Amino acid sequence: MRRHWPHYLVEAAGPAAFLIISSATAVVFHHPDSAVARTLGPSEMVQRVGLALVIAALIMAMAYSPWGKRSGAHFNPAVTLGFWQLGHIRTADAVWYVAFQFAGALGAGFLMFNLLEPWFGYPAIHYNTTRPMEGDYGWLWALLAEIGISAVFMLVLLRALHSAQFKTWAGALSGLMLAVFIVFESPVSGMSLNPARSTGTAAAAQLAPGLWVYFVGPLLAMWAAAVLFGRYRARKALPERPPLYPDATA
């Protein structure tokens, strides 16, 4: 903790920045009092595209920032679990990463709930919480969707990071994947990928519909993806990515 606390703060700042920007952007693109929402019209697809572009730009900026590069820009307990499984991060660092990720998400969740409360309850925004689609089996579809997008995200990210050709594109690919998921998958589960992100808004709003889905889906999928990728890498003799310790730039 004494040696690596600046890097843990970066991991707290990542989810916090995501929730701050995504909460404000959700109001701008979805609330009828917003001039932007009125200009775009009632199409939820168009509104989601606008939100997706902002989030993609944010993720890329954080991933390529000097601090993001130094900590590895996990910003997600499920990503940290996958990297820990592959031996890219020490156990103690992984524990602190996860603790600070949740702390950052919770702090930002309560901050934005209080700042945006007059607009946050609008149905299309719903306090920026992630929730399963309606219906008797909405939780099941949400769980399957979270497993699917989490597995794809982790596998693409790991393949890029272990490729000399695509390593520098990892941050851009992460942003683009999130943008696609927001546009096409969010109606099913709210597009979480991240248990810390879902916990932050759920705790602030005191609304946690199916919160377990956003723990089980991403954690299970990204851990399993890391296991499978480790076996694939061993068979294909892919170059080993140096272990990620907060002392060194990722």
Side-chain angles (χ1 to χ4, degrees):
M1 181 67 173
R2 288 193 300 269
R3 292 172 53 204
H4 298 158
W5 66 265
H7 306 85
Y8 303 152
L9 287 179
V10 173
E11 286 299 309
F18 179 90
L19 282 183
I20 289 170
I21 298 300
S22 66
S23 296
T25 306
V27 171
V28 169
F29 281 98
H30 291 302
H31 200 280
D33 289 345
S34 165
V36 174
R38 291 196 300 269
T39 300
L40 293 176
S43 172
E44 291 187 4
M45 174 66 78
V46 174
Q47 293 170 353
R48 290 200 301 272
V49 169
L51 177 62
L53 293 175
V54 173
I55 296 302
L58 172 66
I59 295 300
M60 293 179 195
M62 292 193 300
Y64 290 115
S65 69
W67 283 102
K69 290 180 180 179
R70 185 169 293 267
S71 77
H74 294 192
F75 306 147
N76 184 337
V79 172
T80 298
L81 176 63
F83 284 180
W84 172 83
Q85 169 64 34
L86 290 170
H88 293 334
I89 184 171
R90 295 186 181 104
T91 299
D93 287 324
V95 171
W96 283 115
Y97 266 40
V98 170
F100 273 74
Q101 289 158 0
F102 273 99
L106 286 166
F110 279 94
L111 173 65
M112 299 311 291
F113 178 84
N114 286 284
L115 288 178
L116 301 175
E117 189 173 5
W119 309 279
F120 234 23
Y122 186 70
I125 302 169
H126 201 262
Y127 307 102
N128 198 23
T129 57
T130 53
R131 52 181 174 161
M133 63 187 297
E134 296 181 358
D136 293 339
Y137 297 99
W139 65 269
L140 178 58
W141 288 112
L143 178 61
L144 294 175
E146 286 294 318
I147 290 174
I149 62 176
S150 297
V152 169
F153 182 86
M154 193 63 174
L155 289 171
V156 171
L157 182 61
L158 288 173
R159 187 64 184 91
L161 290 172
H162 287 81
S163 168
Q165 181 180 3
F166 294 109
K167 183 176 180 178
T168 58
W169 290 93
L173 288 171
S174 297
L176 290 173
M177 283 190 288
L178 259 64
V180 172
F181 297 156
I182 288 171
V183 173
F184 297 105
E185 192 278 337
S186 58
V188 180
S189 75
M191 208 300 289
S192 173
L193 284 175
N194 188 331
R197 174 262 182 273
S198 291
T199 301
T201 52
Q206 297 184 21
L207 294 170
L211 183 61
W212 65 272
V213 167
Y214 306 104
F215 278 78
V216 174
L219 290 170
L220 177 62
M222 293 200 191
W223 173 80
V227 171
L228 292 174
F229 184 83
R231 295 176 180 176
Y232 167 80
R233 186 187 63 200
R235 290 198 308 268
K236 298 294 184 178
L238 293 177
E240 176 65 66
R241 182 173 183 261
L244 172 60
Y245 303 138
D247 297 309
T249 300

